[in-house]
Structure formats: C-alpha cells, structure tokens
Amino acid sequence: MECTPESYLLEHWKKWLPAFPPVVIKSLDEGLRDDVPVITTAALEALPEHKHSVPPDLLYELQLKSTILELGVPFPRHLAKDAITYPCAVKADMSVGGRGSWLVKNERELSDTLRQIKDVCNWKGGTLFQEYIPGVKEVPSFQFYLHKSGELFWVGTTTGGFTGCFSWTTGSVDWDKQEEYENLVYKEFTLPIKDYLQRRGFFGLVTFEVLITDHGKYLVDVNPRIGGDTTHLLLARHMALDIGFKHSAIFCKNKHPNITAKELVTRANASNKQDEGLTVVLSVADAEEKVQKSLPAAIFD
C-alpha cells in the first residue's frame, strides 16, 4: 500500500472483526522487491508482468465489455452503429463503476456522447451499442471464486441501488435469499462463464451482473477481478453464519463532511452493539476541503 491504515482504524477492525487475522501490510517498495505475485483489479502497467497473478494482457482482454459476446449466455442485443434504435446503451469497451456507460435517447445525444468518449475521455478503443431492455425488476451482482483446478466457490449475491442509469449507490445482502439467487443463475450463467474463463487460463474472483425482467434474464457485465462487493460479501457470510446478522448494506459516501476520519470511526465504535447490529468502517481518510471523501462502511443487522 502507498498509505497504510491509521492505528485507530486497525483497532476498529480488531475490535469488531476478531475472527479475522490481522492484515499484513507492505509498502510499495517492499512489495515490488519480493517475488510474491499480487492480485490486481486491472492490468496495471506500473507493475512488472511477473508481479501479476494473472497475465496482464489476458486480464485486460477478459475485462473488455465485448468479451460478453463470447460467453454463450443471453445478453442484450448488440447493435451496429448504422442500425441503432433508441433508447440504447453506449459503452466504452473498457470501463468501470458506471463510468464509460451512457443511455442515449436520440441522434443528438448519441453524437454528443461519441464526441465525449473521443475528445473528453480520449478513448481510442472500441465502443459498443446495446439495446435498451425495459421493465427491469432488479440487477443483482453475483460473485464466485474460480480455483486453478476448476473448482468453484460461491461467494454470494448483492442487490444494488442506483441513481440515474449507471450510478451505483449501495449494495445490500439478504443471507436468507442467497441460495435462491445462486440457483437463479447457476446453470444459465455461472457455469458458462466459469468454463470460458477456465479455458482462457484465468483463476480468481469473478463478479457478474444479470438484468432480470418478467420476460427474461440478460448478462450485462462480467468483471474477472476483486469487486467492490468482495469485502462486503466475505464479511456478510461471517456475520450471518457466525453471529446471526443476516441483513447488511454497504455505503460509500460521506454524509458528515465536517467531522474527522478518527471521529467517524469513534462514532461507529460508540454506536455498535453486538446484539443489535454493527457498523464496520472499511476505509477512511481526511481529505482537503474541496475533495470529496469516500468512506466505505458496511452495516450489519
């Protein structure tokens, strides 16, 4: 890590997550000097190739949105640029967290969006055009771990909250519905995705999102990497099975801009009651006044 967690955050984790071993933290210099490969969220050019657990060129290719076309599962119909119907989704082939995805409703919005992709975002790769699917009921996020042997470990499912079309706000977990969600996509989506990634030589965490309507299910995203849901799901499994808190949500926005990071953690400690619910602060930092603070925290009850 470039910046290590403050001592009060480490104490917070130790107090409320005693079942988890203490984290082992290395500086960037230490990490780059040793021969231990690292798991990354993307193909990072700043790391030498031998430090990546998965070859970076393969990781980059598998994270392209166009890779969905090769998986053999249902997905929203992709449109040729000269045969677009409106509204439609426009996606840069490599994007993350809703950034790089737009919903356009007419030719003018399409032209403006393509200009932004090219001139503002300076994106030189491919751009995808995808049919608009109406009547969406939910878009769960499913996660599993693929071992080198091909064995699959099901991590869990979160359901997301959104503002606008692609702006994620929160993820929630209901542990009583985990088996239902797993069975909902296992044969139609999980196994084909797993088989494809194994053939390509990938191993590790995989997150995929399925758009669910009354008339069908459609794969809209696959992320072969550690996801934003990973920490939440691993904590949710422990909270549900070992403590009995089966419902949780994660938030990544600071609603208290006038308090310090240390005070926020102190407030979380004071509000926690083992028999009523827990707030676990996942990361926190003081920032300059004009810099937006992002404070991921998971709440379990």
Side-chain angles (χ1 to χ4, degrees):
M1 300 184 67
E2 191 173 25
C3 301
T4 60
E6 298 287 351
S7 59
Y8 56 81
L9 185 57
L10 293 173
E11 287 299 318
H12 173 78
W13 294 340
K14 182 179 179 180
K15 179 177 179 63
W16 301 113
L17 301 173
F20 289 80
V23 293
V24 176
I25 301 172
K26 295 181 182 180
S27 68
L28 291 179
D29 288 339
E30 290 174 313
L32 289 174
R33 277 199 303 267
D34 65 35
D35 294 326
V36 181
V38 296
I39 298 171
T40 65
T41 57
L44 303 177
E45 293 183 343
L47 293 179
E49 185 171 351
H50 75 274
K51 288 293 295 185
H52 288 80
S53 294
V54 175
D57 288 345
L58 172 63
L59 187 59
Y60 182 85
E61 182 182 342
L62 293 177
Q63 291 181 353
L64 292 172
K65 304 299 182 188
S66 54
T67 298
I68 291 176
L69 305 177
E70 304 175 5
L71 298 175
V73 301
F75 55 82
R77 182 168 53 97
H78 281 237
L79 308 169
K81 186 178 179 181
D82 58 357
I84 291 177
T85 58
Y86 299 98
C88 79
V90 179
K91 298 181 178 181
D93 207 357
M94 176 65 72
S95 61
V96 64
R99 296 183 295 276
S101 297
W102 295 264
L103 181 68
V104 300
K105 300 176 182 177
N106 51 53
E107 289 187 14
R108 179 184 59 80
E109 289 187 1
L110 175 63
S111 178
D112 291 343
T113 297
L114 294 178
R115 189 179 304 112
Q116 181 176 357
I117 292 174
K118 178 176 179 292
D119 298 336
V120 178
C121 301
N122 197 30
W123 174 245
K124 297 180 176 60
T127 302
L128 307 180
F129 307 95
Q130 193 178 82
E131 72 170 321
Y132 172 75
I133 303 294
V136 176
K137 295 171 62 178
E138 60 178 338
V139 189
S141 178
F142 307 91
Q143 191 165 143
F144 64 87
Y145 186 89
L146 176 59
H147 292 266
K148 286 184 176 181
S149 64
E151 182 183 358
L152 183 153
F153 172 77
W154 187 258
V155 179
T157 304
T158 62
T159 54
F162 296 88
T163 58
C165 296
F166 303 108
S167 181
W168 181 90
T169 57
T170 184
S172 60
V173 173
D174 183 343
W175 207 259
D176 289 330
K177 294 184 178 180
Q178 289 299 301
E179 185 175 355
E180 176 186 342
Y181 275 120
E182 181 180 359
N183 293 335
L184 182 67
V185 296
Y186 195 77
K187 290 183 179 180
E188 190 174 10
F189 294 94
T190 306
L191 291 181
I193 292 171
K194 187 270 288 188
D195 291 343
Y196 174 85
L197 294 175
Q198 187 183 8
R199 287 197 304 270
R200 297 299 308 274
F202 175 84
F203 72 95
L205 283 156
V206 181
T207 301
F208 65 95
E209 297 176 3
V210 175
L211 186 153
I212 299 175
T213 71
D214 287 328
H215 55 274
K217 300 189 291 288
Y218 308 88
L219 181 71
V220 291
D221 205 4
V222 176
N223 292 304
R225 58 174 173 80
I226 297 172
D229 297 330
T230 302
T231 303
H232 182 198
L233 282 169
L234 293 175
L235 289 177
R237 174 180 293 274
H238 163 69
M239 293 291 180
L241 300 182
D242 299 332
I243 299 180
F245 295 153
K246 294 186 176 182
H247 303 90
S248 61
I250 187 170
F251 301 91
C252 294
K253 186 176 182 181
N254 182 14
K255 296 182 179 180
H256 306 283
N258 297 321
I259 66 174
T260 66
K262 185 175 183 178
E263 185 178 354
L264 185 73
V265 174
T266 300
R267 290 189 184 187
N269 290 334
S271 68
N272 281 347
K273 295 179 175 58
Q274 283 283 9
D275 57 340
E276 295 181 11
L278 296 175
T279 297
V280 178
V281 179
L282 303 180
S283 66
V284 66
D286 289 317
E288 295 178 10
E289 185 176 348
K290 294 183 179 181
V291 177
Q292 182 180 359
K293 300 177 185 178
S294 179
L295 308 176
I299 299 176
F300 304 88
D301 62 25

